[in-house]
Amino acid sequence: MWRALAFLALLAIAAFGATWIADRPGTVTIVWNGYEIATSLAIALIGVLVAAIVVGFVWAVVKGIITLPETLVRGSKERRRAKGFSALSRGMVAVGSGDPLAARRHASDAERLLGAEPLALLLKAQAAQISGDREAAEHAFQRMVNDPETRVLGLRGLFVEARRREDDVAARAYAAEAARLAPSVTWANEAVLEAQCADGDWSGAVETVERRASLGLIEKGLARRQRAVLLTAAAQTREAGEPEAATQRALDAVKLAPDLVPAACIAGRLLARRGDLKKAAKIVEAAWRANPHPDLAKVYLGLRVGDSVRDRLTRAETLAKISTWHPESRLAMAQAAVEAQDIGKAREALAPLLADRPTVRACLAMAKIEETEHGAGSGRAREWLARAAHAPRDPMWIADGVASERWAPVSPITGHLDAFVWKAPTELLEGPSGDDVTGDIDDRDDHARPALPAAAPQVLEAAPSNAAVVAPVKPAEPAPVNVAKMASKPSAPASGPMATGAATPVVFPAPKGPDSAAETKARLVG
Protein backbone atom coordinates (compact mmCIF):
# COMPACT_ATOMS: atom_id res chain seq x y z
CA MET A 1 0.00 0.00 0.00
CA TRP A 2 2.83 2.39 0.84
CA ARG A 3 4.43 1.69 -2.54
CA ALA A 4 1.21 2.58 -4.34
CA LEU A 5 0.93 5.82 -2.39
CA ALA A 6 4.56 6.71 -3.18
CA PHE A 7 3.99 6.01 -6.89
CA LEU A 8 0.91 8.22 -6.94
CA ALA A 9 2.82 10.96 -5.14
CA LEU A 10 5.66 10.86 -7.68
CA LEU A 11 3.16 10.84 -10.53
CA ALA A 12 1.45 13.89 -9.08
CA ILE A 13 4.78 15.71 -8.74
CA ALA A 14 5.70 14.87 -12.37
CA ALA A 15 2.33 16.10 -13.63
CA PHE A 16 2.67 19.29 -11.62
CA GLY A 17 6.16 19.87 -13.03
CA ALA A 18 5.02 19.32 -16.63
CA THR A 19 2.13 21.74 -16.17
CA TRP A 20 4.41 24.32 -14.59
CA ILE A 21 6.86 24.14 -17.51
CA ALA A 22 4.04 24.29 -20.08
CA ASP A 23 2.70 27.47 -18.46
CA ARG A 24 6.14 29.11 -18.65
CA PRO A 25 7.47 28.61 -22.19
CA GLY A 26 11.11 29.43 -22.93
CA THR A 27 13.94 28.79 -25.37
CA VAL A 28 17.14 26.81 -24.83
CA THR A 29 20.09 27.67 -27.10
CA ILE A 30 23.22 25.54 -27.43
CA VAL A 31 26.30 26.92 -29.21
CA TRP A 32 29.10 24.40 -29.84
CA ASN A 33 31.93 24.39 -32.40
CA GLY A 34 30.34 27.04 -34.57
CA TYR A 35 26.89 25.52 -34.48
CA GLU A 36 23.87 27.04 -32.73
CA ILE A 37 20.93 24.91 -31.72
CA ALA A 38 17.78 26.54 -30.36
CA THR A 39 14.78 24.61 -29.03
CA SER A 40 12.03 24.90 -26.44
CA LEU A 41 12.57 24.11 -22.78
CA ALA A 42 10.23 21.06 -22.82
CA ILE A 43 12.00 19.42 -25.77
CA ALA A 44 15.39 20.09 -24.18
CA LEU A 45 14.34 18.37 -20.96
CA ILE A 46 13.01 15.38 -22.88
CA GLY A 47 16.31 15.15 -24.76
CA VAL A 48 18.29 15.19 -21.52
CA LEU A 49 16.12 12.40 -20.11
CA VAL A 50 16.54 10.23 -23.22
CA ALA A 51 20.29 10.79 -23.20
CA ALA A 52 20.48 9.74 -19.54
CA ILE A 53 18.56 6.55 -20.29
CA VAL A 54 20.85 5.68 -23.20
CA VAL A 55 23.98 6.31 -21.15
CA GLY A 56 22.66 4.15 -18.29
CA PHE A 57 21.85 1.31 -20.69
CA VAL A 58 25.29 1.44 -22.28
CA TRP A 59 26.94 1.45 -18.83
CA ALA A 60 24.91 -1.56 -17.72
CA VAL A 61 25.96 -3.53 -20.81
CA VAL A 62 29.61 -2.67 -20.34
CA LYS A 63 29.53 -3.49 -16.61
CA GLY A 64 27.79 -6.81 -17.30
CA ILE A 65 30.47 -7.81 -19.77
CA ILE A 66 33.23 -6.85 -17.35
CA THR A 67 31.75 -8.71 -14.34
CA LEU A 68 30.49 -11.75 -16.26
CA PRO A 69 33.24 -14.18 -15.05
CA GLU A 70 32.76 -13.16 -11.42
CA THR A 71 29.00 -13.54 -11.73
CA LEU A 72 29.36 -17.04 -13.17
CA VAL A 73 31.73 -18.08 -10.38
CA ARG A 74 29.43 -16.64 -7.71
CA GLY A 75 26.43 -18.44 -9.15
CA SER A 76 28.33 -21.72 -9.18
CA LYS A 77 29.31 -21.26 -5.53
CA GLU A 78 25.77 -20.45 -4.54
CA ARG A 79 24.42 -23.53 -6.32
CA ARG A 80 27.11 -25.67 -4.73
CA ARG A 81 26.35 -24.24 -1.30
CA ALA A 82 22.63 -24.82 -1.78
CA LYS A 83 23.31 -28.46 -2.70
CA GLY A 84 25.57 -28.80 0.32
CA PHE A 85 22.94 -27.50 2.75
CA SER A 86 20.38 -29.75 1.12
CA ALA A 87 22.66 -32.75 1.72
CA LEU A 88 23.24 -31.50 5.26
CA SER A 89 19.51 -31.33 5.93
CA ARG A 90 18.93 -34.80 4.52
CA GLY A 91 21.84 -36.17 6.54
CA MET A 92 20.42 -34.76 9.78
CA VAL A 93 17.11 -36.43 8.98
CA ALA A 94 18.93 -39.72 8.31
CA VAL A 95 20.77 -39.46 11.63
CA GLY A 96 17.53 -38.77 13.46
CA SER A 97 15.81 -41.73 11.79
CA GLY A 98 18.78 -44.06 12.50
CA ASP A 99 19.83 -44.72 8.87
CA PRO A 100 23.66 -45.02 8.98
CA LEU A 101 24.13 -45.64 5.24
CA ALA A 102 22.16 -42.58 4.16
CA ALA A 103 23.74 -40.51 6.94
CA ARG A 104 27.28 -41.36 5.78
CA ARG A 105 26.41 -40.68 2.15
CA HIS A 106 24.88 -37.30 2.86
CA ALA A 107 27.72 -36.45 5.26
CA SER A 108 30.28 -37.10 2.51
CA ASP A 109 28.29 -34.96 0.06
CA ALA A 110 27.97 -32.15 2.59
CA GLU A 111 31.70 -32.20 3.38
CA ARG A 112 32.58 -32.24 -0.33
CA LEU A 113 30.27 -29.36 -1.16
CA LEU A 114 30.66 -27.24 1.99
CA GLY A 115 34.21 -28.02 3.05
CA ALA A 116 35.02 -27.39 6.76
CA GLU A 117 31.55 -26.15 7.59
CA PRO A 118 30.86 -26.78 11.32
CA LEU A 119 27.50 -28.42 10.62
CA ALA A 120 29.09 -30.68 8.00
CA LEU A 121 31.70 -31.83 10.53
CA LEU A 122 28.97 -32.40 13.12
CA LEU A 123 26.96 -34.47 10.63
CA LYS A 124 30.04 -36.52 9.78
CA ALA A 125 30.70 -37.19 13.45
CA GLN A 126 27.10 -38.17 14.18
CA ALA A 127 26.98 -40.41 11.12
CA ALA A 128 30.14 -42.15 12.35
CA GLN A 129 28.61 -42.51 15.83
CA ILE A 130 25.43 -44.23 14.68
CA SER A 131 27.54 -46.44 12.41
CA GLY A 132 29.73 -47.52 15.32
CA ASP A 133 32.89 -45.99 13.85
CA ARG A 134 34.29 -44.41 17.02
CA GLU A 135 37.63 -43.59 15.44
CA ALA A 136 36.03 -41.56 12.63
CA ALA A 137 33.78 -39.79 15.13
CA GLU A 138 36.72 -38.79 17.32
CA HIS A 139 38.63 -37.59 14.24
CA ALA A 140 35.71 -35.36 13.25
CA PHE A 141 35.38 -33.96 16.77
CA GLN A 142 39.13 -33.35 16.89
CA ARG A 143 38.84 -31.28 13.71
CA MET A 144 36.16 -29.23 15.47
CA VAL A 145 38.49 -28.68 18.42
CA ASN A 146 41.12 -27.25 16.08
CA ASP A 147 38.65 -24.59 14.93
CA PRO A 148 38.11 -21.80 17.51
CA GLU A 149 34.45 -21.41 16.51
CA THR A 150 33.60 -25.08 17.14
CA ARG A 151 36.12 -25.90 19.88
CA VAL A 152 33.56 -26.34 22.68
CA LEU A 153 31.33 -28.48 20.45
CA GLY A 154 34.29 -30.69 19.60
CA LEU A 155 35.20 -31.04 23.26
CA ARG A 156 31.63 -32.09 23.97
CA GLY A 157 31.87 -34.85 21.36
CA LEU A 158 35.27 -36.04 22.60
CA PHE A 159 33.90 -36.06 26.15
CA VAL A 160 31.00 -38.31 25.12
CA GLU A 161 33.31 -40.67 23.26
CA ALA A 162 35.69 -40.85 26.23
CA ARG A 163 32.74 -41.71 28.50
CA ARG A 164 31.69 -44.47 26.12
CA ARG A 165 35.10 -46.12 26.17
CA GLU A 166 35.24 -45.56 29.98
CA ASP A 167 38.28 -43.30 29.84
CA ASP A 168 37.52 -41.15 32.88
CA VAL A 169 40.84 -39.31 32.78
CA ALA A 170 40.31 -38.07 29.22
CA ALA A 171 36.66 -37.25 29.90
CA ARG A 172 37.60 -35.11 32.89
CA ALA A 173 40.26 -33.30 30.87
CA TYR A 174 37.82 -32.48 28.06
CA ALA A 175 35.17 -31.28 30.53
CA ALA A 176 37.66 -29.11 32.42
CA GLU A 177 38.89 -27.49 29.19
CA ALA A 178 35.31 -26.84 28.02
CA ALA A 179 34.45 -25.29 31.41
CA ARG A 180 37.51 -23.06 31.14
CA LEU A 181 36.65 -21.88 27.61
CA ALA A 182 32.90 -21.49 28.23
CA PRO A 183 32.08 -21.25 31.96
CA SER A 184 28.34 -21.22 31.27
CA VAL A 185 28.29 -24.62 29.54
CA THR A 186 26.07 -26.81 31.69
CA TRP A 187 27.38 -30.25 30.75
CA ALA A 188 30.99 -29.28 31.42
CA ASN A 189 30.15 -27.87 34.86
CA GLU A 190 28.18 -30.98 35.78
CA ALA A 191 31.00 -33.26 34.62
CA VAL A 192 33.58 -31.29 36.60
CA LEU A 193 31.35 -31.43 39.68
CA GLU A 194 30.91 -35.20 39.36
CA ALA A 195 34.67 -35.66 38.97
CA GLN A 196 35.38 -33.56 42.06
CA CYS A 197 32.83 -35.53 44.09
CA ALA A 198 34.29 -38.83 42.91
CA ASP A 199 37.77 -37.67 44.02
CA GLY A 200 36.48 -36.41 47.36
CA ASP A 201 37.47 -32.83 46.51
CA TRP A 202 34.61 -31.32 48.47
CA SER A 203 36.12 -27.81 48.64
CA GLY A 204 36.54 -27.69 44.87
CA ALA A 205 33.01 -29.02 44.43
CA VAL A 206 31.66 -26.23 46.65
CA GLU A 207 33.47 -23.66 44.49
CA THR A 208 31.98 -25.24 41.36
CA VAL A 209 28.47 -25.07 42.81
CA GLU A 210 28.96 -21.43 43.79
CA ARG A 211 30.20 -20.58 40.30
CA ARG A 212 27.20 -22.32 38.71
CA ALA A 213 24.86 -20.38 41.00
CA SER A 214 26.56 -17.06 40.17
CA LEU A 215 26.17 -17.77 36.44
CA GLY A 216 22.49 -18.60 36.88
CA LEU A 217 22.89 -22.23 35.78
CA ILE A 218 21.03 -23.52 38.85
CA GLU A 219 18.46 -22.03 41.20
CA LYS A 220 19.60 -20.48 44.45
CA GLY A 221 17.63 -22.97 46.53
CA LEU A 222 19.22 -25.92 44.74
CA ALA A 223 22.65 -24.33 45.13
CA ARG A 224 22.15 -23.97 48.88
CA ARG A 225 21.08 -27.61 49.14
CA GLN A 226 24.08 -28.84 47.13
CA ARG A 227 26.48 -26.75 49.18
CA ALA A 228 24.99 -28.21 52.36
CA VAL A 229 25.42 -31.75 51.03
CA LEU A 230 29.05 -31.08 50.07
CA LEU A 231 29.83 -29.53 53.44
CA THR A 232 28.23 -32.52 55.14
CA ALA A 233 30.39 -34.86 53.09
CA ALA A 234 33.49 -32.90 54.10
CA ALA A 235 32.44 -33.05 57.77
CA GLN A 236 31.79 -36.78 57.45
CA THR A 237 35.32 -37.46 56.19
CA ARG A 238 36.92 -35.29 58.91
CA GLU A 239 34.73 -36.30 61.85
CA ALA A 240 37.19 -38.82 63.24
CA GLY A 241 40.52 -37.06 62.63
CA GLU A 242 39.68 -33.34 62.59
CA PRO A 243 36.70 -32.77 64.87
CA GLU A 244 36.98 -28.96 64.95
CA ALA A 245 37.04 -28.60 61.15
CA ALA A 246 34.26 -31.16 60.86
CA THR A 247 32.14 -29.29 63.41
CA GLN A 248 32.45 -26.01 61.52
CA ARG A 249 31.49 -27.60 58.23
CA ALA A 250 28.57 -29.44 59.79
CA LEU A 251 27.28 -26.22 61.36
CA ASP A 252 27.58 -24.43 58.02
CA ALA A 253 25.63 -27.24 56.38
CA VAL A 254 22.90 -27.03 59.04
CA LYS A 255 22.56 -23.29 58.40
CA LEU A 256 22.07 -23.93 54.68
CA ALA A 257 19.73 -26.92 55.11
CA PRO A 258 18.36 -27.39 58.65
CA ASP A 259 16.38 -30.47 57.55
CA LEU A 260 19.44 -32.33 56.20
CA VAL A 261 19.56 -35.35 58.51
CA PRO A 262 23.24 -36.35 58.10
CA ALA A 263 24.41 -32.78 58.77
CA ALA A 264 22.29 -32.53 61.92
CA CYS A 265 23.53 -35.92 63.15
CA ILE A 266 27.19 -35.01 62.67
CA ALA A 267 26.72 -31.59 64.24
CA GLY A 268 24.84 -33.09 67.20
CA ARG A 269 27.48 -35.74 67.85
CA LEU A 270 30.41 -33.33 67.63
CA LEU A 271 28.77 -30.63 69.74
CA ALA A 272 27.80 -33.18 72.38
CA ARG A 273 31.36 -34.48 72.36
CA ARG A 274 32.72 -31.08 73.31
CA GLY A 275 29.98 -30.45 75.90
CA ASP A 276 27.67 -28.03 74.07
CA LEU A 277 24.56 -30.11 74.78
CA LYS A 278 22.04 -27.29 74.48
CA LYS A 279 23.06 -26.33 70.96
CA ALA A 280 23.33 -29.96 69.92
CA ALA A 281 19.82 -30.69 71.18
CA LYS A 282 18.45 -27.61 69.42
CA ILE A 283 19.93 -28.65 66.05
CA VAL A 284 18.68 -32.23 66.33
CA GLU A 285 15.22 -31.15 67.44
CA ALA A 286 14.93 -28.76 64.46
CA ALA A 287 15.91 -31.51 62.04
CA TRP A 288 13.59 -33.99 63.78
CA ARG A 289 10.69 -31.58 63.53
CA ALA A 290 11.18 -31.36 59.74
CA ASN A 291 12.15 -34.99 59.09
CA PRO A 292 11.91 -37.63 61.85
CA HIS A 293 14.71 -40.11 61.30
CA PRO A 294 16.11 -43.01 63.38
CA ASP A 295 19.65 -41.59 63.17
CA LEU A 296 18.44 -38.35 64.73
CA ALA A 297 16.73 -40.30 67.51
CA LYS A 298 19.92 -42.25 68.17
CA VAL A 299 21.97 -39.05 68.43
CA TYR A 300 19.37 -37.30 70.59
CA LEU A 301 18.99 -40.18 73.05
CA GLY A 302 22.76 -40.45 73.45
CA LEU A 303 23.66 -36.77 73.74
CA ARG A 304 24.91 -37.04 77.31
CA VAL A 305 27.25 -39.92 78.03
CA GLY A 306 26.32 -41.76 81.21
CA ASP A 307 22.60 -40.90 81.20
CA SER A 308 20.35 -43.41 82.89
CA VAL A 309 17.79 -45.39 80.95
CA ARG A 310 15.08 -43.22 82.50
CA ASP A 311 16.75 -40.10 81.16
CA ARG A 312 16.86 -41.66 77.70
CA LEU A 313 13.17 -42.53 77.98
CA THR A 314 12.41 -38.92 78.89
CA ARG A 315 14.30 -37.74 75.80
CA ALA A 316 12.32 -40.19 73.66
CA GLU A 317 9.08 -38.75 75.03
CA THR A 318 10.32 -35.27 74.08
CA LEU A 319 10.90 -36.42 70.48
CA ALA A 320 7.43 -37.97 70.39
CA LYS A 321 5.84 -34.70 71.47
CA ILE A 322 7.84 -32.68 68.93
CA SER A 323 6.78 -34.86 66.00
CA THR A 324 3.22 -35.49 67.23
CA TRP A 325 3.92 -39.18 67.76
CA HIS A 326 5.41 -39.93 64.38
CA PRO A 327 6.06 -43.67 63.75
CA GLU A 328 9.79 -43.07 64.15
CA SER A 329 9.21 -41.50 67.54
CA ARG A 330 7.10 -44.50 68.59
CA LEU A 331 9.89 -46.88 67.62
CA ALA A 332 12.44 -44.79 69.53
CA MET A 333 10.05 -44.64 72.48
CA ALA A 334 9.58 -48.41 72.46
CA GLN A 335 13.33 -49.05 72.37
CA ALA A 336 13.99 -46.66 75.26
CA ALA A 337 11.10 -48.16 77.25
CA VAL A 338 12.44 -51.70 76.80
CA GLU A 339 15.87 -50.57 77.99
CA ALA A 340 14.16 -49.01 81.01
CA GLN A 341 12.21 -52.30 81.63
CA ASP A 342 8.91 -50.42 81.17
CA ILE A 343 7.21 -53.08 79.04
CA GLY A 344 3.76 -51.54 79.35
CA LYS A 345 4.88 -48.21 77.96
CA ALA A 346 6.76 -49.99 75.16
CA ARG A 347 3.65 -51.91 74.13
CA GLU A 348 1.55 -48.76 74.32
CA ALA A 349 3.97 -46.90 72.05
CA LEU A 350 4.03 -49.70 69.43
CA ALA A 351 0.31 -50.49 69.46
CA PRO A 352 -0.73 -48.05 66.66
CA LEU A 353 2.05 -49.41 64.41
CA LEU A 354 0.80 -53.00 64.67
CA ALA A 355 -2.75 -52.35 63.49
CA ASP A 356 -2.12 -52.58 59.75
CA ARG A 357 0.86 -54.40 58.22
CA PRO A 358 3.64 -53.66 60.72
CA THR A 359 7.05 -53.08 59.19
CA VAL A 360 10.22 -55.05 59.84
CA ARG A 361 11.44 -52.74 62.60
CA ALA A 362 8.06 -52.79 64.33
CA CYS A 363 8.03 -56.60 64.28
CA LEU A 364 11.58 -56.77 65.59
CA ALA A 365 10.73 -54.27 68.32
CA MET A 366 7.80 -56.46 69.38
CA ALA A 367 10.06 -59.51 69.32
CA LYS A 368 12.47 -57.67 71.61
CA ILE A 369 9.60 -56.83 73.98
CA GLU A 370 8.47 -60.46 74.06
CA GLU A 371 12.03 -61.67 74.64
CA THR A 372 12.45 -59.20 77.50
CA GLU A 373 9.16 -60.21 79.11
CA HIS A 374 8.95 -63.97 78.37
CA GLY A 375 12.47 -65.02 77.41
CA ALA A 376 14.41 -65.38 74.16
CA GLY A 377 12.92 -68.78 73.28
CA SER A 378 9.30 -67.86 73.83
CA GLY A 379 6.74 -68.61 71.16
CA ARG A 380 5.58 -65.02 70.91
CA ALA A 381 9.11 -63.79 70.26
CA ARG A 382 9.57 -66.41 67.51
CA GLU A 383 6.22 -65.45 66.02
CA TRP A 384 7.24 -61.80 65.69
CA LEU A 385 10.61 -62.77 64.22
CA ALA A 386 8.81 -64.91 61.65
CA ARG A 387 6.51 -62.02 60.78
CA ALA A 388 9.54 -59.75 60.38
CA ALA A 389 10.86 -62.00 57.61
CA HIS A 390 7.88 -61.15 55.39
CA ALA A 391 6.89 -57.72 56.70
CA PRO A 392 7.06 -54.55 54.59
CA ARG A 393 10.47 -52.97 54.68
CA ASP A 394 11.15 -49.75 56.51
CA PRO A 395 12.43 -46.61 54.79
CA MET A 396 16.08 -46.62 53.75
CA TRP A 397 18.47 -44.37 51.86
CA ILE A 398 17.76 -45.09 48.20
CA ALA A 399 19.49 -43.68 45.10
CA ASP A 400 19.07 -44.95 41.54
CA GLY A 401 17.61 -48.28 42.66
CA VAL A 402 20.27 -48.94 45.31
CA ALA A 403 19.16 -49.15 48.95
CA SER A 404 21.61 -48.48 51.76
CA GLU A 405 21.36 -48.06 55.52
CA ARG A 406 23.94 -45.27 55.41
CA TRP A 407 23.73 -41.91 53.67
CA ALA A 408 26.24 -40.93 50.98
CA PRO A 409 26.64 -37.55 49.24
CA VAL A 410 26.62 -39.01 45.71
CA SER A 411 24.94 -41.91 43.97
CA PRO A 412 27.10 -45.04 43.60
CA ILE A 413 25.55 -45.66 40.18
CA THR A 414 25.45 -42.31 38.37
CA GLY A 415 27.63 -40.16 40.61
CA HIS A 416 24.92 -37.50 40.88
CA LEU A 417 25.07 -35.23 43.90
CA ASP A 418 22.37 -35.48 46.60
CA ALA A 419 20.78 -38.52 45.02
CA PHE A 420 19.95 -40.47 48.21
CA VAL A 421 16.37 -40.11 49.42
CA TRP A 422 14.91 -41.55 52.63
CA LYS A 423 11.95 -43.68 51.56
CA ALA A 424 10.62 -47.21 51.71
CA PRO A 425 12.02 -49.60 49.09
CA THR A 426 9.64 -50.76 46.40
CA GLU A 427 7.88 -53.92 47.47
CA LEU A 428 8.06 -56.99 45.27
CA LEU A 429 4.90 -58.00 43.48
CA GLU A 430 2.82 -60.63 45.21
CA GLY A 431 2.22 -63.95 43.46
CA PRO A 432 -1.12 -65.69 42.98
CA SER A 433 -2.98 -66.21 46.23
CA GLY A 434 -6.05 -68.35 46.91
CA ASP A 435 -7.10 -68.68 43.25
CA ASP A 436 -3.65 -69.40 41.78
CA VAL A 437 -2.91 -71.92 39.04
CA THR A 438 -2.32 -74.73 41.57
CA GLY A 439 -5.31 -74.00 43.78
CA ASP A 440 -7.60 -76.44 41.99
CA ILE A 441 -5.01 -79.20 42.33
CA ASP A 442 -4.63 -78.55 46.05
CA ASP A 443 -8.39 -78.49 46.55
CA ARG A 444 -8.92 -81.65 44.51
CA ASP A 445 -6.24 -83.62 46.32
CA ASP A 446 -7.09 -82.47 49.84
CA HIS A 447 -9.91 -85.00 50.34
CA ALA A 448 -7.82 -87.88 48.95
CA ARG A 449 -4.74 -87.16 51.02
CA PRO A 450 -4.66 -88.30 54.67
CA ALA A 451 -4.26 -85.67 57.31
CA LEU A 452 -0.66 -84.99 58.20
CA PRO A 453 0.56 -84.80 61.77
CA ALA A 454 1.32 -81.34 63.00
CA ALA A 455 4.91 -80.43 62.37
CA ALA A 456 7.00 -79.74 65.42
CA PRO A 457 7.79 -76.04 65.63
CA GLN A 458 11.38 -75.17 64.91
CA VAL A 459 13.31 -72.89 67.18
CA LEU A 460 14.32 -69.72 65.32
CA GLU A 461 17.73 -68.71 66.52
CA ALA A 462 18.92 -65.15 66.47
CA ALA A 463 20.23 -64.43 62.99
CA PRO A 464 23.77 -63.07 62.69
CA SER A 465 24.28 -59.49 61.65
CA ASN A 466 24.94 -60.42 58.01
CA ALA A 467 22.12 -62.95 57.59
CA ALA A 468 18.46 -62.51 56.79
CA VAL A 469 15.74 -63.68 59.21
CA VAL A 470 14.17 -66.91 57.97
CA ALA A 471 10.67 -68.01 58.91
CA PRO A 472 10.10 -71.54 60.23
CA VAL A 473 9.10 -74.02 57.53
CA LYS A 474 7.17 -77.30 57.61
CA PRO A 475 8.46 -80.65 56.41
CA ALA A 476 7.94 -80.89 52.66
CA GLU A 477 7.80 -84.68 52.22
CA PRO A 478 4.15 -85.62 51.46
CA ALA A 479 2.67 -82.15 50.94
CA PRO A 480 2.88 -80.59 47.43
CA VAL A 481 4.91 -77.44 47.27
CA ASN A 482 3.21 -74.38 45.86
CA VAL A 483 6.03 -73.19 43.61
CA ALA A 484 4.16 -70.17 42.37
CA LYS A 485 3.70 -68.83 45.90
CA MET A 486 7.31 -69.53 46.85
CA ALA A 487 8.59 -67.67 43.81
CA SER A 488 6.48 -64.66 44.68
CA LYS A 489 7.73 -64.31 48.25
CA PRO A 490 9.79 -61.14 48.81
CA SER A 491 13.41 -61.43 49.72
CA ALA A 492 14.81 -60.74 53.17
CA PRO A 493 14.06 -57.26 54.49
CA ALA A 494 16.57 -54.62 53.54
CA SER A 495 16.59 -53.06 57.00
CA GLY A 496 16.70 -54.32 60.57
CA PRO A 497 18.19 -57.84 60.44
CA MET A 498 20.30 -57.18 57.34
CA ALA A 499 23.92 -56.17 57.55
CA THR A 500 24.35 -52.50 58.28
CA GLY A 501 26.12 -50.31 55.80
CA ALA A 502 25.74 -52.67 52.82
CA ALA A 503 24.14 -51.18 49.72
CA THR A 504 21.31 -53.47 48.58
CA PRO A 505 20.04 -53.21 44.98
CA VAL A 506 16.28 -53.25 44.62
CA VAL A 507 15.60 -56.22 42.30
CA PHE A 508 12.26 -56.97 40.71
CA PRO A 509 11.38 -60.62 39.92
CA ALA A 510 10.76 -61.62 36.32
CA PRO A 511 7.03 -61.93 35.52
CA LYS A 512 5.73 -65.43 35.13
CA GLY A 513 4.23 -66.21 31.77
CA PRO A 514 1.67 -68.83 30.85
CA ASP A 515 4.40 -71.36 29.97
CA SER A 516 5.97 -71.29 33.41
CA ALA A 517 2.52 -71.60 35.03
CA ALA A 518 1.76 -74.63 32.89
CA GLU A 519 5.10 -76.22 33.79
CA THR A 520 4.38 -75.65 37.48
CA LYS A 521 0.99 -77.28 37.21
CA ALA A 522 2.36 -80.27 35.31
CA ARG A 523 5.14 -80.74 37.86
CA LEU A 524 2.65 -80.69 40.73
CA VAL A 525 0.36 -83.18 38.98
CA GLY A 526 3.31 -85.48 38.39
Side-chain angles (χ1 to χ4, degrees), residues 46 62 87 104 109 135 140 193 221 238 279 309 336 338 360 399 443:
I46 293 174
V62 173
R104 289 201 304 269
D109 294 341
E135 185 177 354
L193 180 61
R238 301 188 180 192
K279 188 173 183 179
V309 291
V338 170
V360 173
D443 295 340

Side-chain angles (χ1 to χ4, degrees), residues 197-198 200 202 226 228-234 236-237 260 262 399 406-412 415-420:
C197 292
W202 308 118
Q226 290 184 351
V229 171
L230 293 171
L231 290 171
T232 304
Q236 192 178 50
T237 57
L260 186 57
R406 294 181 180 175
W407 175 86
V410 296
S411 168
H416 290 169
L417 182 63
D418 193 23
F420 275 95

Side-chain angles (χ1 to χ4, degrees), residues 210-358:
E210 291 176 350
R211 183 175 66 251
R212 295 179 67 190
S214 63
L215 294 173
L217 300 180
I218 55 177
E219 299 178 356
K220 293 183 178 180
L222 179 59
R224 289 174 59 89
R225 175 74 181 188
Q226 290 184 351
R227 286 176 57 198
V229 171
L230 293 171
L231 290 171
T232 304
Q236 192 178 50
T237 57
R238 301 188 180 192
E239 183 177 0
E242 304 177 45
E244 293 299 326
T247 302
Q248 185 59 45
R249 284 165 173 75
L251 291 176
D252 293 341
V254 168
K255 290 180 182 179
L256 293 171
D259 60 339
L260 186 57
V261 171
C265 290
I266 295 174
R269 284 196 299 266
L270 293 175
L271 289 174
R273 191 181 303 173
R274 69 183 188 184
D276 196 350
L277 300 180
K278 185 176 181 181
K279 188 173 183 179
K282 183 178 179 181
I283 290 175
V284 176
E285 288 174 0
W288 178 269
R289 188 176 290 106
N291 186 16
H293 194 278
D295 292 346
L296 292 173
K298 182 179 179 181
V299 173
Y300 193 75
L301 296 183
L303 283 178
R304 183 184 289 107
V305 179
D307 275 353
S308 65
V309 291
R310 285 294 173 182
D311 293 335
R312 293 169 59 86
L313 180 57
T314 302
R315 290 185 178 274
E317 291 176 349
T318 302
L319 289 180
K321 294 176 181 178
I322 292 176
S323 62
T324 318
W325 292 93
H326 188 273
E328 288 294 341
S329 65
R330 291 186 176 276
L331 290 170
M333 183 80 176
Q335 180 181 355
V338 170
E339 294 175 357
Q341 299 296 319
D342 193 343
I343 303 302
K345 184 169 290 188
R347 290 183 181 276
E348 182 183 356
L350 282 180
L353 304 183
L354 307 177
D356 183 22
R357 297 191 68 196

Side-chain angles (χ1 to χ4, degrees), residues 15-63:
F16 175 78
T19 304
W20 186 82
I21 293 174
D23 292 341
R24 293 168 177 79
T27 302
V28 177
T29 303
I30 301 175
V31 178
W32 181 69
N33 199 18
Y35 294 95
E36 181 178 345
I37 301 174
T39 183
S40 63
L41 178 61
I43 295 176
L45 292 176
I46 293 174
V48 171
L49 181 61
V50 171
I53 293 174
V54 172
V55 171
F57 178 75
V58 172
W59 172 250
V61 172
V62 173
K63 184 179 179 181

